[in-house]
């Protein structure tokens, strides 16, 4: 077993870390303060080639897989967690079109059409710098839960076949990149008869589509730069070519590749690393305005060591889990994925809070990033479909089954 990155992965890790620390980090506090979307970060992602991280090489991308994406996202989060979290959603759309769907059995004609439509979307990302949002979540109180066995609700949105395309109606909430992304990769359920899973759709809704509206205030505790408002679809018509995946495939992939939910965790692992690094810099007098080494570092030796042990233990479990991503994984590997995901959710809050404690009162001020890291980390337990509550409940039920 070798959990070391490949040489190509290390190059991308270094590229992402350089971008995060030199470009994202200096402006992260301003985006957080104003709760505005980090547009400049996405210009940098495009210019660096990372927007096309998971686009096949034949279409101009870097052809990275899910595991590599997670390693890259961990680095980006050290500059701006909101950027990394929204980048997760864009990149997962690329993975759905490519790596995730490759092992699904499709009729030859369906496969050929999917590849042709995907090529068009890939070229838009590479040539025009477009990016995608993923408006999946819907208010559970607005209807019955999905039949997908992953928790939450995303198929209250309905699509009716009409005029060679789809008429879409629904409501999504906590839609990150609201009003900013070029396209919204939207799950919907085709109206009519037939097996439920076969009626699942994954549609590309352009930002300027007639009937698409964004609403609501956005003034949250953390992840403020994600700009995650509500999205209303009222008789939004899109052509049949808006199918990101062939009908029925999204429902399969959502249940047959549960490791995809670990993509969120990379962001919070990055926050943990950034908090630890800041604490070391602060306690050793490397941060402007910090006390010198004699004033604080020696008293916190054991606390810093415990932070390191927790961080590295969490990372080791997470890396093991993402290395096991595949279609139809074993029960044991899915349980390990839940363990890794939940471990990140819990320790993100623990380490960011501990970093504030060991650095002392001055580090609590907004002139330093620790309080932002802590606020952002609080979102980790709430990300659907594997919220901390849902993932823990599922793991316990399966263990006892």
């Amino acid at each position: 077993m070798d959990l070391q990155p490949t040489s190509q992965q290390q190059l991308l890790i270094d590229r992402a870390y350089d971008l995060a620390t030199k470009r994202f980090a200096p402006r992260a506090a301003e985006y957080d303060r104003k709760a505005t979307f980090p547009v400049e970060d996405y210009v940098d992602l495009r210019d660096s080639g990372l927007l096309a991280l998971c686009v096949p090489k034949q279409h101009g991308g870097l052809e990275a897989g899910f595991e590599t994406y997670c390693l890259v996202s961990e680095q980006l989060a050290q500059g701006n967690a909101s950027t990394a979290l929204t980048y997760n959603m864009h990149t997962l759309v690329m993975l759905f079109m490519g790596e995730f769907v490759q092992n699904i059995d499709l009729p030859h004609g369906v496969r050929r059409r999917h590849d042709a439509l995907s090529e068009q979307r890939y070229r838009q990302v590479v040539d025009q710098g477009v990016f995608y949002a993923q408006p999946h979540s819907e208010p559970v109180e607005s209807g019955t839960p999905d039949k997908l066995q992953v928790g939450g609700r995303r198929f209250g949105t309905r699509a009716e076949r009409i005029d060679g395309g789809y008429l879409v109606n629904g409501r999504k909430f906590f839609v990150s990149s609201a009003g900013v992304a070029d396209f919204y990769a939207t799950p919907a359920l085709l109206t009519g008869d037939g097996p439920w899973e076969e009626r699942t759709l994954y549609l590309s809704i352009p930002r300027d589509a007639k009937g698409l509206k964004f609403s609501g205030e956005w003034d949250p505790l953390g992840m403020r730069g994600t700009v995650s408002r509500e999205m209303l679809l009222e008789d939004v018509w899109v052509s049949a070519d808006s199918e990101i995946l062939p009908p029925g495939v999204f429902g399969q992939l959502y249940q047959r590749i549960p490791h995809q939910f670990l993509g969120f965790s990379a962001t919070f692992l990055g926050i943990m690393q950034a908090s630890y690094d800041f604490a070391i810099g602060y306690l050793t007098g490397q941060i402007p305005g910090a006390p010198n080494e004699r004033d604080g570092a020696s008293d916190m030796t054991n606390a810093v060591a415990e932070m390191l042990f927790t961080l590295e233990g969490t990372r080791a479990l997470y890396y093991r889990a993402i290395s096991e991503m595949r279609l139809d994984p074993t029960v044991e590997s899915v349980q390990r994925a839940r363990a890794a995901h939940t471990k990140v959710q819990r320790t993100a809050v623990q380490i960011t809070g501990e970093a504030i404690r060991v650095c002392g009162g001055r580090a609590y001020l907004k002139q330093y990033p620790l309080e932002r890291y802590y606020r952002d980390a609080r979102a980790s337990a709430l990300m659907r479909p594997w919220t901390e509550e849902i993932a823990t409940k599922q793991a316990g039920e399966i263990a006892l089954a």
Side-chain angles (χ1 to χ4, degrees):
M1 181 184 298
D2 183 5
L3 294 182
Q4 291 298 313
T6 66
S7 58
Q8 180 60 26
Q9 285 175 330
Q10 190 61 56
L11 288 173
L12 292 171
I13 288 170
D14 293 344
R15 185 189 303 187
Y17 180 77
D18 190 64
L19 192 66
T21 55
K22 294 180 180 178
R23 303 288 295 175
F24 294 2
R27 53 197 180 218
E30 184 72 3
Y31 283 125
D32 175 77
R33 184 178 68 81
K34 295 182 177 180
T36 53
F37 189 81
V39 175
E40 294 168 295
D41 291 359
Y42 271 80
V43 173
D44 288 336
L45 286 169
R46 179 197 65 200
D47 292 346
S48 68
L50 291 178
L51 199 62
L53 177 69
C54 296
V55 171
K57 287 183 179 178
Q58 69 187 89
H59 303 307
L62 298 173
E63 201 168 332
F66 176 76
E67 179 182 285
T68 301
Y69 152 70
C70 291
L71 300 176
V72 166
S73 185
E74 179 188 352
Q75 307 308 312
L76 296 178
Q78 295 179 53
N80 188 334
S82 290
T83 302
L85 199 63
T86 55
Y87 178 70
N88 168 76
M89 299 161 195
H90 164 78
T91 307
L92 279 178
V93 177
M94 302 298 105
L95 289 167
F96 271 119
M97 292 192 297
E99 180 184 17
F100 288 0
V101 80
Q102 289 310 306
N103 292 322
I104 296 288
D105 288 331
L106 296 174
H108 177 70
V110 174
R111 172 72 66 181
R112 185 170 59 184
R113 179 173 180 270
H114 170 72
D115 290 345
L117 291 174
S118 296
E119 179 179 358
Q120 295 175 22
R121 294 190 174 93
Y122 290 144
R123 294 310 315 183
Q124 287 179 318
V125 172
V126 173
D127 298 337
Q128 302 171 33
V130 308
F131 72 96
Y132 283 75
Q134 273 192 323
H136 284 196
S137 295
E138 299 176 0
V140 293
E141 66 272 13
S142 64
T144 57
D146 289 344
K147 294 183 181 180
L148 294 180
Q149 301 301 308
V150 292
R153 185 172 186 268
R154 57 201 54 79
F155 285 102
T157 298
R158 295 293 194 263
E160 178 185 0
R161 290 192 192 277
I162 186 170
D163 297 332
Y166 298 100
L167 193 67
V168 187
N169 284 277
R171 175 190 171 204
K172 306 288 186 178
F173 75 159
F174 287 108
V175 177
S176 296
S177 311
V180 184
D182 298 283
F183 295 96
Y184 295 82
T186 305
L189 192 68
L190 183 64
T191 57
D193 299 325
W196 193 89
E197 185 177 271
E198 293 179 9
R199 293 187 288 120
T200 58
L201 300 171
Y202 200 38
L203 302 174
S204 176
I205 310 291
R207 181 178 60 212
D208 59 358
K210 183 179 179 181
L212 181 67
K213 301 175 183 177
F214 298 96
S215 64
E217 295 296 321
W218 181 246
D219 188 19
L221 173 69
M223 290 295 178
R224 293 170 58 80
T226 62
V227 188
S228 304
R229 301 162 67 205
E230 291 199 6
M231 184 175 101
L232 186 65
L233 302 106
E234 294 183 319
D235 290 336
V236 174
W237 184 87
V238 292
S239 74
D241 286 351
S242 69
E243 295 169 359
I244 295 174
L245 294 170
V249 172
F250 183 79
Q252 284 195 60
L253 292 178
Y254 223 67
Q255 300 189 98
R256 297 178 66 186
I257 307 182
H259 284 71
Q260 65 182 278
F261 309 137
L262 292 174
F264 287 125
S265 304
T267 294
F268 298 101
L269 190 61
I271 294 174
M272 292 160 61
Q273 183 66 59
S275 298
Y276 176 78
D277 289 344
F278 181 90
I280 296 298
Y282 190 88
L283 292 172
T284 55
Q286 300 174 56
I287 304 297
N292 62 45
E293 184 177 355
R294 294 192 189 91
D295 289 337
S298 60
D299 296 334
M300 294 297 175
T301 301
N302 287 354
V304 168
E306 290 297 334
M307 288 173 64
L308 175 65
F309 300 160
T310 302
L311 173 60
E312 292 299 343
T314 303
R315 178 181 284 118
L317 178 58
Y318 180 71
Y319 282 10
R320 169 76 185 276
I322 62 174
S323 74
E324 296 177 329
M325 192 285 291
R326 56 184 51 83
L327 191 69
D328 299 327
T330 65
V331 172
E332 290 78 14
S333 68
V334 177
Q335 286 288 72
R336 193 156 35 248
R338 291 189 179 96
H341 188 64
T342 304
K343 182 69 171 176
V344 170
Q345 291 171 321
R346 294 172 178 175
T347 55
V349 176
Q350 176 186 345
I351 285 184
T352 53
E354 185 68 352
I356 292 173
R357 187 189 73 82
V358 301
C359 290
R362 278 177 288 182
Y364 191 61
L365 301 175
K366 282 188 176 291
Q367 72 187 78
Y368 298 116
L370 281 185
E371 60 86 28
R372 185 176 78 248
Y373 297 158
Y374 181 75
R375 289 187 286 106
D376 287 346
R378 299 301 308 189
S380 60
L382 308 175
M383 304 299 297
R384 293 183 179 183
W386 274 4
T387 65
E388 183 178 341
E389 180 182 10
I390 290 173
T392 301
K393 183 174 183 290
Q394 289 176 346
E397 289 175 344
I398 290 171
L400 295 172

